[in-house]
Amino acid sequence: MPETMLHKFYTAKLETDEADRTVTAVISTDGIDRDGEVLLPKGADFEKYLKNPVVLWAHDYHSTPIGKALWIRRGRKNGIDSIMAKIQFIDAEISLKAEEVYQLFKGGFLNAFSVGFLPKDGGSHTPTPDEIKKRPDFA
């Protein structure tokens, strides 16, 4: 059976650092996304990704990357589990697309990330009564 890649979209508060050409942001949370899906950060396995932590534009797996993740980690703030990352964009002399996307983030025209993932153990399930009790928004 072929694996299905899922994408989770999250609008994030961003911090940019012009000297390092980086954007630091929450890239996903345990909230319900626009497709009605939930990615639980505590279940995310970064081991394979960190061997080649490239950032692609719009999940274009056939194009060159626009940057790399310098780090990625789980966090929790105000009762929300999340995944944060610091992305360094490729220099404009190497990639005009990376420069364009970096400038769009820096200027506030882009303010969201989308992560791709392969669900483990069959992927999704209907929330249990205990999960709904803890998170009524899952109902």
Side-chain angles (χ1 to χ4, degrees), residues 86-134:
K86 184 172 188 174
I87 288 83
Q88 183 175 47
F89 287 83
I90 297 168
D91 189 271
E93 293 177 14
I94 298 169
S95 171
L96 292 176
K97 177 53 114 183
E99 176 65 14
E100 176 186 12
V101 174
Y102 173 66
Q103 292 299 328
L104 289 169
F105 273 115
K106 198 171 95 171
F109 296 98
L110 287 176
N111 62 357
F113 285 88
S114 178
V115 298
F117 62 98
L118 296 171
K120 290 184 174 182
D121 303 325
S124 63
H125 71 275
T126 302
T128 66
D130 282 345
E131 289 172 325
I132 293 172
K133 187 175 179 181
K134 291 177 186 174

mmCIF file of all heavy atoms in Angstrom, residues 86-134:
data_model
loop_
_atom_site.group_PDB
_atom_site.id
_atom_site.type_symbol
_atom_site.label_atom_id
_atom_site.label_comp_id
_atom_site.label_asym_id
_atom_site.label_seq_id
_atom_site.Cartn_x
_atom_site.Cartn_y
_atom_site.Cartn_z
ATOM 1 N N LYS A 86 13.742 27.000 13.099
ATOM 2 C CA LYS A 86 14.493 28.164 12.618
ATOM 3 C C LYS A 86 14.987 27.802 11.228
ATOM 4 O O LYS A 86 15.771 26.864 11.064
ATOM 5 C CB LYS A 86 15.664 28.496 13.536
ATOM 6 C CG LYS A 86 16.406 29.751 13.113
ATOM 7 C CD LYS A 86 17.429 30.146 14.162
ATOM 8 C CE LYS A 86 18.030 31.503 13.846
ATOM 9 N NZ LYS A 86 18.907 31.955 14.940
ATOM 10 N N ILE A 87 14.501 28.562 10.237
ATOM 11 C CA ILE A 87 14.812 28.276 8.835
ATOM 12 C C ILE A 87 15.784 29.324 8.318
ATOM 13 O O ILE A 87 15.550 30.537 8.467
ATOM 14 C CB ILE A 87 13.537 28.265 7.963
ATOM 15 C CG1 ILE A 87 12.675 27.045 8.227
ATOM 16 C CG2 ILE A 87 13.876 28.243 6.495
ATOM 17 C CD1 ILE A 87 11.768 27.052 9.322
ATOM 18 N N GLN A 88 16.863 28.848 7.701
ATOM 19 C CA GLN A 88 17.817 29.750 7.053
ATOM 20 C C GLN A 88 17.600 29.660 5.546
ATOM 21 O O GLN A 88 17.615 28.569 4.977
ATOM 22 C CB GLN A 88 19.249 29.353 7.395
ATOM 23 C CG GLN A 88 20.274 30.296 6.799
ATOM 24 C CD GLN A 88 21.669 29.944 7.250
ATOM 25 O OE1 GLN A 88 22.061 28.787 7.218
ATOM 26 N NE2 GLN A 88 22.410 30.954 7.688
ATOM 27 N N PHE A 89 17.380 30.808 4.925
ATOM 28 C CA PHE A 89 17.106 30.857 3.493
ATOM 29 C C PHE A 89 18.401 30.966 2.695
ATOM 30 O O PHE A 89 19.363 31.602 3.129
ATOM 31 C CB PHE A 89 16.178 32.027 3.167
ATOM 32 C CG PHE A 89 14.772 31.772 3.616
ATOM 33 C CD1 PHE A 89 14.386 31.999 4.930
ATOM 34 C CD2 PHE A 89 13.836 31.261 2.730
ATOM 35 C CE1 PHE A 89 13.095 31.736 5.352
ATOM 36 C CE2 PHE A 89 12.540 30.997 3.142
ATOM 37 C CZ PHE A 89 12.173 31.230 4.454
ATOM 38 N N ILE A 90 18.420 30.355 1.532
ATOM 39 C CA ILE A 90 19.567 30.365 0.643
ATOM 40 C C ILE A 90 19.796 31.787 0.141
ATOM 41 O O ILE A 90 18.851 32.538 -0.125
ATOM 42 C CB ILE A 90 19.326 29.387 -0.535
ATOM 43 C CG1 ILE A 90 19.202 27.961 0.017
ATOM 44 C CG2 ILE A 90 20.432 29.479 -1.579
ATOM 45 C CD1 ILE A 90 18.693 26.952 -0.992
ATOM 46 N N ASP A 91 21.045 32.149 -0.006
ATOM 47 C CA ASP A 91 21.440 33.480 -0.448
ATOM 48 C C ASP A 91 20.913 33.789 -1.853
ATOM 49 O O ASP A 91 20.832 32.902 -2.706
ATOM 50 C CB ASP A 91 22.970 33.571 -0.433
ATOM 51 C CG ASP A 91 23.437 34.985 -0.659
ATOM 52 O OD1 ASP A 91 23.617 35.357 -1.842
ATOM 53 O OD2 ASP A 91 23.605 35.717 0.326
ATOM 54 N N ALA A 92 20.601 35.053 -2.094
ATOM 55 C CA ALA A 92 20.054 35.492 -3.376
ATOM 56 C C ALA A 92 20.982 35.206 -4.550
ATOM 57 O O ALA A 92 20.510 34.996 -5.672
ATOM 58 C CB ALA A 92 19.742 36.988 -3.323
ATOM 59 N N GLU A 93 22.279 35.176 -4.320
ATOM 60 C CA GLU A 93 23.225 34.883 -5.405
ATOM 61 C C GLU A 93 23.104 33.442 -5.884
ATOM 62 O O GLU A 93 23.495 33.115 -6.997
ATOM 63 C CB GLU A 93 24.651 35.165 -4.953
ATOM 64 C CG GLU A 93 24.920 36.639 -4.717
ATOM 65 C CD GLU A 93 26.322 36.894 -4.190
ATOM 66 O OE1 GLU A 93 27.171 35.989 -4.253
ATOM 67 O OE2 GLU A 93 26.553 38.008 -3.699
ATOM 68 N N ILE A 94 22.561 32.592 -5.049
ATOM 69 C CA ILE A 94 22.406 31.174 -5.383
ATOM 70 C C ILE A 94 20.988 30.858 -5.851
ATOM 71 O O ILE A 94 20.790 30.089 -6.786
ATOM 72 C CB ILE A 94 22.777 30.297 -4.168
ATOM 73 C CG1 ILE A 94 24.241 30.532 -3.792
ATOM 74 C CG2 ILE A 94 22.510 28.824 -4.446
ATOM 75 C CD1 ILE A 94 24.640 29.927 -2.466
ATOM 76 N N SER A 95 19.985 31.464 -5.184
ATOM 77 C CA SER A 95 18.593 31.143 -5.501
ATOM 78 C C SER A 95 17.704 32.380 -5.424
ATOM 79 O O SER A 95 17.442 32.899 -4.331
ATOM 80 C CB SER A 95 18.059 30.079 -4.535
ATOM 81 O OG SER A 95 16.676 29.906 -4.705
ATOM 82 N N LEU A 96 17.238 32.821 -6.573
ATOM 83 C CA LEU A 96 16.316 33.964 -6.602
ATOM 84 C C LEU A 96 14.975 33.602 -5.971
ATOM 85 O O LEU A 96 14.331 34.438 -5.349
ATOM 86 C CB LEU A 96 16.122 34.451 -8.032
ATOM 87 C CG LEU A 96 17.353 35.100 -8.662
ATOM 88 C CD1 LEU A 96 17.080 35.465 -10.123
ATOM 89 C CD2 LEU A 96 17.781 36.328 -7.872
ATOM 90 N N LYS A 97 14.540 32.355 -6.116
ATOM 91 C CA LYS A 97 13.279 31.910 -5.514
ATOM 92 C C LYS A 97 13.378 31.982 -3.993
ATOM 93 O O LYS A 97 12.470 32.462 -3.319
ATOM 94 C CB LYS A 97 12.924 30.492 -5.972
ATOM 95 C CG LYS A 97 11.666 29.933 -5.320
ATOM 96 C CD LYS A 97 10.485 30.851 -5.474
ATOM 97 C CE LYS A 97 9.422 30.274 -6.330
ATOM 98 N NZ LYS A 97 8.303 31.205 -6.535
ATOM 99 N N ALA A 98 14.499 31.509 -3.431
ATOM 100 C CA ALA A 98 14.688 31.571 -1.980
ATOM 101 C C ALA A 98 14.679 33.017 -1.501
ATOM 102 O O ALA A 98 14.087 33.337 -0.467
ATOM 103 C CB ALA A 98 15.992 30.884 -1.589
ATOM 104 N N GLU A 99 15.329 33.899 -2.252
ATOM 105 C CA GLU A 99 15.346 35.324 -1.895
ATOM 106 C C GLU A 99 13.937 35.898 -1.921
ATOM 107 O O GLU A 99 13.539 36.636 -1.017
ATOM 108 C CB GLU A 99 16.256 36.097 -2.851
ATOM 109 C CG GLU A 99 16.263 37.596 -2.617
ATOM 110 C CD GLU A 99 16.843 38.011 -1.275
ATOM 111 O OE1 GLU A 99 17.488 37.198 -0.585
ATOM 112 O OE2 GLU A 99 16.633 39.183 -0.901
ATOM 113 N N GLU A 100 13.180 35.576 -2.953
ATOM 114 C CA GLU A 100 11.798 36.058 -3.067
ATOM 115 C C GLU A 100 10.964 35.609 -1.869
ATOM 116 O O GLU A 100 10.268 36.418 -1.243
ATOM 117 C CB GLU A 100 11.180 35.538 -4.364
ATOM 118 C CG GLU A 100 9.723 35.894 -4.528
ATOM 119 C CD GLU A 100 9.101 35.242 -5.762
ATOM 120 O OE1 GLU A 100 9.711 34.339 -6.374
ATOM 121 O OE2 GLU A 100 7.973 35.634 -6.092
ATOM 122 N N VAL A 101 11.045 34.336 -1.527
ATOM 123 C CA VAL A 101 10.249 33.812 -0.414
ATOM 124 C C VAL A 101 10.705 34.426 0.906
ATOM 125 O O VAL A 101 9.872 34.832 1.728
ATOM 126 C CB VAL A 101 10.319 32.267 -0.376
ATOM 127 C CG1 VAL A 101 9.616 31.724 0.862
ATOM 128 C CG2 VAL A 101 9.705 31.678 -1.641
ATOM 129 N N TYR A 102 12.013 34.555 1.114
ATOM 130 C CA TYR A 102 12.528 35.184 2.333
ATOM 131 C C TYR A 102 12.005 36.614 2.458
ATOM 132 O O TYR A 102 11.537 37.025 3.527
ATOM 133 C CB TYR A 102 14.054 35.163 2.338
ATOM 134 C CG TYR A 102 14.645 35.940 3.490
ATOM 135 C CD1 TYR A 102 14.466 35.519 4.799
ATOM 136 C CD2 TYR A 102 15.351 37.116 3.264
ATOM 137 C CE1 TYR A 102 14.988 36.249 5.867
ATOM 138 C CE2 TYR A 102 15.881 37.841 4.319
ATOM 139 C CZ TYR A 102 15.694 37.406 5.612
ATOM 140 O OH TYR A 102 16.202 38.129 6.660
ATOM 141 N N GLN A 103 12.066 37.382 1.381
ATOM 142 C CA GLN A 103 11.586 38.768 1.412
ATOM 143 C C GLN A 103 10.077 38.837 1.682
ATOM 144 O O GLN A 103 9.610 39.749 2.369
ATOM 145 C CB GLN A 103 11.938 39.494 0.103
ATOM 146 C CG GLN A 103 13.422 39.737 -0.090
ATOM 147 C CD GLN A 103 14.035 40.607 1.001
ATOM 148 O OE1 GLN A 103 13.404 41.485 1.569
ATOM 149 N NE2 GLN A 103 15.298 40.340 1.313
ATOM 150 N N LEU A 104 9.329 37.882 1.161
ATOM 151 C CA LEU A 104 7.883 37.841 1.413
ATOM 152 C C LEU A 104 7.591 37.563 2.885
ATOM 153 O O LEU A 104 6.689 38.163 3.475
ATOM 154 C CB LEU A 104 7.203 36.816 0.510
ATOM 155 C CG LEU A 104 7.132 37.206 -0.968
ATOM 156 C CD1 LEU A 104 6.693 36.013 -1.811
ATOM 157 C CD2 LEU A 104 6.202 38.392 -1.175
ATOM 158 N N PHE A 105 8.350 36.666 3.516
ATOM 159 C CA PHE A 105 8.199 36.435 4.953
ATOM 160 C C PHE A 105 8.608 37.675 5.728
ATOM 161 O O PHE A 105 7.893 38.129 6.613
ATOM 162 C CB PHE A 105 9.043 35.238 5.419
ATOM 163 C CG PHE A 105 8.354 33.919 5.287
ATOM 164 C CD1 PHE A 105 8.828 32.965 4.406
ATOM 165 C CD2 PHE A 105 7.231 33.614 6.040
ATOM 166 C CE1 PHE A 105 8.204 31.738 4.285
ATOM 167 C CE2 PHE A 105 6.591 32.389 5.921
ATOM 168 C CZ PHE A 105 7.078 31.446 5.043
ATOM 169 N N LYS A 106 9.749 38.227 5.382
ATOM 170 C CA LYS A 106 10.279 39.403 6.077
ATOM 171 C C LYS A 106 9.317 40.581 5.992
ATOM 172 O O LYS A 106 9.140 41.324 6.954
ATOM 173 C CB LYS A 106 11.644 39.770 5.477
ATOM 174 C CG LYS A 106 12.466 40.668 6.352
ATOM 175 C CD LYS A 106 13.864 40.790 5.803
ATOM 176 C CE LYS A 106 13.922 42.019 4.959
ATOM 177 N NZ LYS A 106 15.263 42.383 4.525
ATOM 178 N N GLY A 107 8.682 40.746 4.837
ATOM 179 C CA GLY A 107 7.759 41.856 4.648
ATOM 180 C C GLY A 107 6.349 41.616 5.177
ATOM 181 O O GLY A 107 5.507 42.498 5.114
ATOM 182 N N GLY A 108 6.102 40.420 5.697
ATOM 183 C CA GLY A 108 4.782 40.125 6.259
ATOM 184 C C GLY A 108 3.753 39.688 5.227
ATOM 185 O O GLY A 108 2.568 39.585 5.547
ATOM 186 N N PHE A 109 4.185 39.441 3.999
ATOM 187 C CA PHE A 109 3.256 39.003 2.958
ATOM 188 C C PHE A 109 2.992 37.506 3.048
ATOM 189 O O PHE A 109 1.952 37.029 2.613
ATOM 190 C CB PHE A 109 3.784 39.369 1.573
ATOM 191 C CG PHE A 109 3.890 40.851 1.386
ATOM 192 C CD1 PHE A 109 5.097 41.499 1.563
ATOM 193 C CD2 PHE A 109 2.771 41.605 1.067
ATOM 194 C CE1 PHE A 109 5.197 42.871 1.411
ATOM 195 C CE2 PHE A 109 2.858 42.974 0.918
ATOM 196 C CZ PHE A 109 4.077 43.622 1.094
ATOM 197 N N LEU A 110 3.943 36.764 3.579
ATOM 198 C CA LEU A 110 3.768 35.346 3.908
ATOM 199 C C LEU A 110 3.870 35.232 5.419
ATOM 200 O O LEU A 110 4.758 35.832 6.031
ATOM 201 C CB LEU A 110 4.853 34.475 3.268
ATOM 202 C CG LEU A 110 4.785 34.250 1.766
ATOM 203 C CD1 LEU A 110 6.001 33.448 1.301
ATOM 204 C CD2 LEU A 110 3.512 33.510 1.399
ATOM 205 N N ASN A 111 2.978 34.468 6.009
ATOM 206 C CA ASN A 111 3.033 34.314 7.466
ATOM 207 C C ASN A 111 2.599 32.916 7.896
ATOM 208 O O ASN A 111 2.037 32.740 8.964
ATOM 209 C CB ASN A 111 2.177 35.366 8.158
ATOM 210 C CG ASN A 111 0.713 35.250 7.791
ATOM 211 O OD1 ASN A 111 0.322 34.430 6.976
ATOM 212 N ND2 ASN A 111 -0.112 36.073 8.406
ATOM 213 N N ALA A 112 2.865 31.941 7.056
ATOM 214 C CA ALA A 112 2.433 30.586 7.394
ATOM 215 C C ALA A 112 3.413 29.559 6.854
ATOM 216 O O ALA A 112 4.136 29.813 5.899
ATOM 217 C CB ALA A 112 1.051 30.322 6.804
ATOM 218 N N PHE A 113 3.401 28.418 7.499
ATOM 219 C CA PHE A 113 4.185 27.269 7.059
ATOM 220 C C PHE A 113 3.256 26.088 6.891
ATOM 221 O O PHE A 113 2.179 26.041 7.465
ATOM 222 C CB PHE A 113 5.270 26.923 8.082
ATOM 223 C CG PHE A 113 6.420 27.872 8.051
ATOM 224 C CD1 PHE A 113 6.408 29.029 8.810
ATOM 225 C CD2 PHE A 113 7.515 27.625 7.249
ATOM 226 C CE1 PHE A 113 7.466 29.914 8.780
ATOM 227 C CE2 PHE A 113 8.574 28.508 7.202
ATOM 228 C CZ PHE A 113 8.553 29.650 7.970
ATOM 229 N N SER A 114 3.692 25.133 6.116
ATOM 230 C CA SER A 114 2.958 23.898 5.918
ATOM 231 C C SER A 114 3.955 22.760 6.037
ATOM 232 O O SER A 114 4.975 22.752 5.348
ATOM 233 C CB SER A 114 2.299 23.899 4.538
ATOM 234 O OG SER A 114 1.612 22.685 4.323
ATOM 235 N N VAL A 115 3.678 21.826 6.933
ATOM 236 C CA VAL A 115 4.579 20.692 7.117
ATOM 237 C C VAL A 115 3.988 19.463 6.436
ATOM 238 O O VAL A 115 2.777 19.267 6.425
ATOM 239 C CB VAL A 115 4.855 20.407 8.615
ATOM 240 C CG1 VAL A 115 5.538 21.589 9.269
ATOM 241 C CG2 VAL A 115 3.590 20.051 9.364
ATOM 242 N N GLY A 116 4.848 18.674 5.854
ATOM 243 C CA GLY A 116 4.438 17.402 5.268
ATOM 244 C C GLY A 116 4.816 16.279 6.215
ATOM 245 O O GLY A 116 5.835 16.347 6.886
ATOM 246 N N PHE A 117 3.981 15.247 6.298
ATOM 247 C CA PHE A 117 4.294 14.146 7.197
ATOM 248 C C PHE A 117 3.616 12.868 6.737
ATOM 249 O O PHE A 117 2.635 12.892 6.004
ATOM 250 C CB PHE A 117 3.883 14.469 8.636
ATOM 251 C CG PHE A 117 2.403 14.695 8.824
ATOM 252 C CD1 PHE A 117 1.584 13.678 9.293
ATOM 253 C CD2 PHE A 117 1.828 15.929 8.549
ATOM 254 C CE1 PHE A 117 0.224 13.885 9.474
ATOM 255 C CE2 PHE A 117 0.473 16.141 8.731
ATOM 256 C CZ PHE A 117 -0.337 15.115 9.197
ATOM 257 N N LEU A 118 4.183 11.761 7.177
ATOM 258 C CA LEU A 118 3.610 10.448 6.933
ATOM 259 C C LEU A 118 3.086 9.934 8.269
ATOM 260 O O LEU A 118 3.853 9.756 9.215
ATOM 261 C CB LEU A 118 4.664 9.478 6.389
ATOM 262 C CG LEU A 118 5.243 9.826 5.029
ATOM 263 C CD1 LEU A 118 6.435 8.921 4.715
ATOM 264 C CD2 LEU A 118 4.193 9.694 3.956
ATOM 265 N N PRO A 119 1.778 9.713 8.385
ATOM 266 C CA PRO A 119 1.235 9.214 9.656
ATOM 267 C C PRO A 119 1.759 7.815 9.965
ATOM 268 O O PRO A 119 1.927 6.990 9.070
ATOM 269 C CB PRO A 119 -0.268 9.166 9.424
ATOM 270 C CG PRO A 119 -0.518 9.951 8.188
ATOM 271 C CD PRO A 119 0.741 9.927 7.396
ATOM 272 N N LYS A 120 2.030 7.569 11.221
ATOM 273 C CA LYS A 120 2.452 6.249 11.679
ATOM 274 C C LYS A 120 1.235 5.428 12.083
ATOM 275 O O LYS A 120 0.175 5.969 12.392
ATOM 276 C CB LYS A 120 3.372 6.381 12.898
ATOM 277 C CG LYS A 120 4.717 6.960 12.590
ATOM 278 C CD LYS A 120 5.555 6.948 13.846
ATOM 279 C CE LYS A 120 6.958 7.386 13.544
ATOM 280 N NZ LYS A 120 7.788 7.325 14.742
ATOM 281 N N ASP A 121 1.405 4.146 12.106
ATOM 282 C CA ASP A 121 0.387 3.231 12.631
ATOM 283 C C ASP A 121 -1.001 3.478 12.059
ATOM 284 O O ASP A 121 -1.985 3.579 12.786
ATOM 285 C CB ASP A 121 0.332 3.311 14.165
ATOM 286 C CG ASP A 121 1.668 3.003 14.806
ATOM 287 O OD1 ASP A 121 2.392 2.156 14.262
ATOM 288 O OD2 ASP A 121 1.990 3.625 15.826
ATOM 289 N N GLY A 122 -1.084 3.600 10.762
ATOM 290 C CA GLY A 122 -2.386 3.770 10.136
ATOM 291 C C GLY A 122 -2.886 5.200 10.099
ATOM 292 O O GLY A 122 -3.926 5.478 9.533
ATOM 293 N N GLY A 123 -2.177 6.101 10.741
ATOM 294 C CA GLY A 123 -2.532 7.507 10.621
ATOM 295 C C GLY A 123 -3.593 7.981 11.580
ATOM 296 O O GLY A 123 -3.406 7.958 12.775
ATOM 297 N N SER A 124 -4.722 8.358 11.050
ATOM 298 C CA SER A 124 -5.709 9.068 11.848
ATOM 299 C C SER A 124 -6.680 8.121 12.546
ATOM 300 O O SER A 124 -6.777 6.949 12.227
ATOM 301 C CB SER A 124 -6.479 10.036 10.969
ATOM 302 O OG SER A 124 -7.194 9.314 9.990
ATOM 303 N N HIS A 125 -7.393 8.691 13.486
ATOM 304 C CA HIS A 125 -8.465 7.968 14.167
ATOM 305 C C HIS A 125 -9.507 8.967 14.632
ATOM 306 O O HIS A 125 -9.239 10.161 14.734
ATOM 307 C CB HIS A 125 -7.918 7.157 15.344
ATOM 308 C CG HIS A 125 -7.485 8.005 16.505
ATOM 309 N ND1 HIS A 125 -6.239 8.576 16.583
ATOM 310 C CD2 HIS A 125 -8.135 8.378 17.629
ATOM 311 C CE1 HIS A 125 -6.135 9.261 17.703
ATOM 312 N NE2 HIS A 125 -7.284 9.164 18.363
ATOM 313 N N THR A 126 -10.680 8.479 14.917
ATOM 314 C CA THR A 126 -11.735 9.307 15.487
ATOM 315 C C THR A 126 -11.375 9.570 16.943
ATOM 316 O O THR A 126 -10.969 8.641 17.655
ATOM 317 C CB THR A 126 -13.098 8.577 15.408
ATOM 318 O OG1 THR A 126 -13.346 8.271 14.040
ATOM 319 C CG2 THR A 126 -14.215 9.428 15.978
ATOM 320 N N PRO A 127 -11.501 10.810 17.406
ATOM 321 C CA PRO A 127 -11.147 11.107 18.793
ATOM 322 C C PRO A 127 -11.960 10.258 19.771
ATOM 323 O O PRO A 127 -13.154 10.060 19.589
ATOM 324 C CB PRO A 127 -11.482 12.586 18.958
ATOM 325 C CG PRO A 127 -11.483 13.133 17.579
ATOM 326 C CD PRO A 127 -11.922 12.008 16.694
ATOM 327 N N THR A 128 -11.281 9.786 20.796
ATOM 328 C CA THR A 128 -11.942 9.016 21.847
ATOM 329 C C THR A 128 -12.706 9.968 22.764
ATOM 330 O O THR A 128 -12.429 11.181 22.785
ATOM 331 C CB THR A 128 -10.907 8.233 22.675
ATOM 332 O OG1 THR A 128 -10.092 9.186 23.381
ATOM 333 C CG2 THR A 128 -10.052 7.331 21.807
ATOM 334 N N PRO A 129 -13.632 9.452 23.561
ATOM 335 C CA PRO A 129 -14.333 10.326 24.521
ATOM 336 C C PRO A 129 -13.369 11.042 25.469
ATOM 337 O O PRO A 129 -13.580 12.210 25.796
ATOM 338 C CB PRO A 129 -15.247 9.359 25.276
ATOM 339 C CG PRO A 129 -15.534 8.278 24.277
ATOM 340 C CD PRO A 129 -14.231 8.119 23.524
ATOM 341 N N ASP A 130 -12.298 10.347 25.891
ATOM 342 C CA ASP A 130 -11.320 10.997 26.765
ATOM 343 C C ASP A 130 -10.602 12.138 26.053
ATOM 344 O O ASP A 130 -10.346 13.195 26.643
ATOM 345 C CB ASP A 130 -10.287 9.985 27.268
ATOM 346 C CG ASP A 130 -10.819 9.113 28.388
ATOM 347 O OD1 ASP A 130 -11.868 9.463 28.975
ATOM 348 O OD2 ASP A 130 -10.181 8.084 28.684
ATOM 349 N N GLU A 131 -10.255 11.949 24.760
ATOM 350 C CA GLU A 131 -9.600 13.008 24.000
ATOM 351 C C GLU A 131 -10.535 14.206 23.830
ATOM 352 O O GLU A 131 -10.098 15.353 23.949
ATOM 353 C CB GLU A 131 -9.161 12.485 22.640
ATOM 354 C CG GLU A 131 -7.996 11.505 22.716
ATOM 355 C CD GLU A 131 -7.685 10.826 21.391
ATOM 356 O OE1 GLU A 131 -8.615 10.550 20.613
ATOM 357 O OE2 GLU A 131 -6.488 10.567 21.151
ATOM 358 N N ILE A 132 -11.803 13.939 23.586
ATOM 359 C CA ILE A 132 -12.777 15.032 23.416
ATOM 360 C C ILE A 132 -12.979 15.757 24.735
ATOM 361 O O ILE A 132 -13.129 16.987 24.755
ATOM 362 C CB ILE A 132 -14.108 14.504 22.843
ATOM 363 C CG1 ILE A 132 -13.883 14.024 21.407
ATOM 364 C CG2 ILE A 132 -15.200 15.563 22.921
ATOM 365 C CD1 ILE A 132 -15.056 13.299 20.795
ATOM 366 N N LYS A 133 -12.968 15.020 25.819
ATOM 367 C CA LYS A 133 -13.114 15.654 27.141
ATOM 368 C C LYS A 133 -11.960 16.626 27.408
ATOM 369 O O LYS A 133 -12.169 17.721 27.891
ATOM 370 C CB LYS A 133 -13.167 14.585 28.239
ATOM 371 C CG LYS A 133 -13.480 15.112 29.600
ATOM 372 C CD LYS A 133 -13.622 13.973 30.600
ATOM 373 C CE LYS A 133 -13.918 14.504 31.981
ATOM 374 N NZ LYS A 133 -14.035 13.420 32.951
ATOM 375 N N LYS A 134 -10.740 16.201 27.031
ATOM 376 C CA LYS A 134 -9.571 17.049 27.214
ATOM 377 C C LYS A 134 -9.529 18.202 26.215
ATOM 378 O O LYS A 134 -9.044 19.275 26.509
ATOM 379 C CB LYS A 134 -8.281 16.231 27.085
ATOM 380 C CG LYS A 134 -8.069 15.261 28.213
ATOM 381 C CD LYS A 134 -6.816 14.441 27.971
ATOM 382 C CE LYS A 134 -6.671 13.354 29.027
ATOM 383 N NZ LYS A 134 -5.549 12.452 28.744
#
